[in-house]
Amino acid sequence: MANETALQPVRGTRDLIGEEARRHFHVIDTARRVAATYGFDEWSTPVIEDTRVFARGLGDTSDVVMKEMYSFTDRGGESITLRPEATAGLCRALVSNGLTQSLPQKVFYAGPMFRYERPQKGRYRQFHQIDIEVLGSEGPLADAEVIRCGWAILEALGVAQDTVLELNTLGDPESRDRYRTALVEYFAAHRARLSPDSQMRLDRNPLRILDSKDENDRVLVAGAPLVTDHLTDSAASFYARLQDLLTRLAVPFRLNPRIVRGLDYYSHTAFEFVTDRLGAQGTVMGGGRYDGLVQEMGGPHTPCIGWAAGVERLAMLMAEPPPAPTGIAVIPVTDAQEPTALTILQSLRAAGLRAEMAYRGNLKRRMERANKTHAHTAIIIGETEAASGVAQVKNLTTGEQSQVPFDGLVAMLG
Ligand code: ATP
Ligand code: MG
């Protein structure tokens, strides 16, 4: 007797079935196809990594590393982490595979990521990202290409009009030092009003305060100095060139000097594609330039640029789900015609057509089954058809019926 409590998926994780699965894979397939036209190659790296890949890579003051990582000690005593994002692992892979002399590497990635967050709409503990990175390229042409590719994916998904590109720069190291000094001066004057987290950030990494989600912090952040007032000439000219390239590539954007991004490793370009259609979970794609990450993994200084986008958020933004696939239903009228029907079924599948056989119950039940599988066409094989080698073919959309010799079926339906 099934009197036990039915088991549920782990909090913050979801099963993808039916329409949700179709939306999900449509996002990934579309991104993969578009990224290929921009010359990106797909990689796959392990879901688990040495914890140091993220602790070093993401910066030990980032929210992800401090609060959100799924880390555990394995049976051999190693500290292992379920990856919270793709970039650090890709940089680790670049170094592990000796590719730091074969640059640039243009990588497309899709896969599950894990963060211990409070689950809500658009925020899960297992979620999925699509990701592209140019590993080993000075900007700003690569920055423009990476952003243009992201925009092309949003266009191909039909969600571009619902998103806005917000662009910022974090400048070069010298700009960042100047800016950090200005920030510390400003926030130190308001120290007591900062959240405990941000008081800690003020000592360890003041830029992080700009990304705080605490309401009181946000009020203070609104009055904070702007990075764009502290840029060196060369950082300012990098930023101006990127804006010019984006304009040439027809990517609309607006400048938002408040964007810093959640991870510690960015420099120069930082950007987010945001929407007002997903409530608090408004960032669908985010990324930027990071120049120190490959070094953290033990490689040489390697400038990189990339972004990651949440598949779930993109899937929610898509207006229409992709239609359920339709196919052909092969219907033997009685069990006696099953062998003939099976041969026809096999020839259709071998020709690359989606085909199913309805083989339970009387003809009515079988026709119902054909409708359930969203068949667009039924091939009906009764006693006469099996004997003559000519099938009844019924177009289930128009109701039109015709007689087609078995060996003409693939040509007619293909
Ligand atoms: P947020 O500010 O929403 O927490 P983030 O800055 O932590 O986002 P990134 O690390 O930049 O996000 O990841 C890139 C994208 O991945 C996000 O823009 C979002 O679309 C998606 N994403 C991040 N965390 C989650 C999550 N827990 N559930 C679903 N999607 C997520
Ligand atoms: Mg986050």
Side-chain angles (χ1 to χ4, degrees):
M1 240 176 62
N3 61 353
E4 304 289 329
T5 311
L7 291 172
Q8 297 297 321
V10 170
R11 185 166 144 79
T13 71
R14 302 185 321 140
D15 301 312
L16 294 171
I17 298 171
E19 183 191 315
E20 279 196 304
R22 288 202 300 280
R23 284 178 178 268
H24 185 91
F25 292 113
H26 178 73
V27 170
I28 295 172
D29 292 346
T30 303
R32 180 180 280 129
R33 177 172 54 73
V34 173
T37 66
Y38 281 74
F40 288 84
D41 292 325
E42 187 161 5
W43 288 15
S44 177
T45 62
V47 166
I48 53 175
E49 293 276 359
D50 185 321
T51 296
R52 288 172 295 182
V53 168
F54 307 109
R56 278 192 204 167
L58 277 51
D60 56 7
T61 56
S62 68
D63 276 358
V64 172
V65 171
M66 289 202 313
K67 304 180 197 153
E68 299 173 0
M69 289 219 297
Y70 274 94
S71 299
F72 62 96
T73 306
D74 74 5
R75 288 167 198 273
E78 308 288 339
S79 177
I80 302 289
T81 296
L82 295 180
R83 62 180 180 206
E85 54 110 56
T87 312
L90 291 173
C91 290
R92 196 274 306 139
L94 183 82
V95 176
S96 311
N97 291 278
L99 292 171
T100 54
Q101 300 307 315
S102 320
L103 302 174
Q105 294 284 333
K106 296 175 64 180
V107 185
F108 170 75
Y109 203 92
M113 306 295 157
F114 305 84
R115 296 184 191 179
Y116 195 80
E117 301 207 65
R118 193 168 68 76
Q120 51 200 294
K121 185 178 167 232
R123 191 176 295 285
Y124 311 99
R125 290 182 173 178
Q126 175 173 334
F127 63 102
H128 299 75
Q129 284 183 340
I130 49 173
D131 188 291
I132 74 167
E133 312 285 343
V134 179
L135 305 172
S137 185
E138 311 270 356
L141 256 178
D143 307 44
E145 178 181 46
V146 156
I147 293 173
R148 186 64 187 88
C149 179
W151 181 241
I153 291 169
L154 299 176
E155 288 178 318
L157 290 171
V159 304
Q161 73 285 352
D162 295 317
T163 67
V164 178
L165 169 60
E166 301 206 321
L167 189 65
N168 193 21
T169 180
L170 301 173
D172 48 21
E174 193 189 330
S175 314
R176 268 181 89 142
D177 283 347
R178 292 186 193 173
Y179 184 46
R180 189 177 296 114
T181 309
L183 278 181
V184 169
E185 196 174 309
Y186 171 80
F187 284 119
H190 302 284
R191 185 176 196 105
R193 283 168 62 202
L194 286 170
S195 67
D197 272 353
S198 286
Q199 293 188 12
M200 189 278 294
R201 293 178 181 122
L202 182 53
D203 299 326
R204 296 178 59 186
N205 189 349
L207 251 76
R208 290 257 59 78
I209 300 173
L210 301 180
D211 204 32
S212 170
K213 291 183 172 104
D214 180 276
E215 297 240 337
N216 287 324
D217 287 355
R218 303 231 44 91
V219 175
L220 286 177
V221 164
L226 299 179
V227 62
T228 34
D229 293 332
H230 296 81
L231 297 178
T232 59
D233 287 348
S234 81
S237 105
F238 184 111
Y239 194 33
R241 275 159 64 211
L242 173 58
Q243 292 176 46
D244 178 53
L245 289 167
L246 289 176
T247 305
R248 281 171 197 277
L249 290 169
V251 185
F253 60 88
R254 68 177 178 225
L255 303 182
N256 178 353
R258 298 290 172 202
I259 291 179
V260 288
R261 310 283 310 122
L263 312 175
D264 275 0
Y265 49 58
Y266 291 102
S267 62
H268 285 295
T269 313
F271 62 92
E272 291 184 342
F273 284 91
V274 298
T275 181
D276 55 13
R277 289 195 35 219
L278 295 179
Q281 273 55 254
T283 308
V284 291
M285 181 182 286
R289 173 160 284 281
Y290 50 98
D291 292 350
L293 194 50
V294 174
Q295 254 170 325
E296 296 285 353
M297 302 301 150
H301 174 77
T302 309
C304 306
I305 169 94
W307 54 251
V311 175
E312 285 81 0
R313 293 184 195 177
L314 289 171
M316 278 192 291
L317 263 190
M318 268 166 44
E320 288 296 317
T326 71
I328 302 161
V330 182
I331 304 176
V333 174
T334 72
D335 294 354
Q337 288 88 48
E338 265 177 25
T340 310
L342 194 62
T343 308
I344 291 171
L345 177 70
Q346 191 49 38
S347 66
L348 296 170
R349 288 175 171 174
L353 300 173
R354 182 181 171 109
E356 287 269 26
M357 188 152 104
Y359 42 69
R360 285 267 160 74
N362 58 23
L363 184 59
K364 183 161 171 277
R365 287 265 319 266
R366 293 174 195 226
M367 286 304 286
E368 279 168 8
R369 171 78 196 146
N371 281 322
K372 257 215 186 95
T373 61
H374 306 288
H376 54 72
T377 303
I379 298 176
I380 301 157
I381 315 288
E383 208 178 324
T384 326
E385 287 78 20
S388 64
V390 179
Q392 297 283 343
V393 176
K394 185 170 181 186
N395 180 321
L396 296 177
T397 322
T398 62
E400 226 170 284
Q401 211 152 325
S402 51
Q403 278 76 40
V404 183
F406 292 173
D407 59 9
L409 285 168
V410 165
M412 180 202 181
L413 298 168

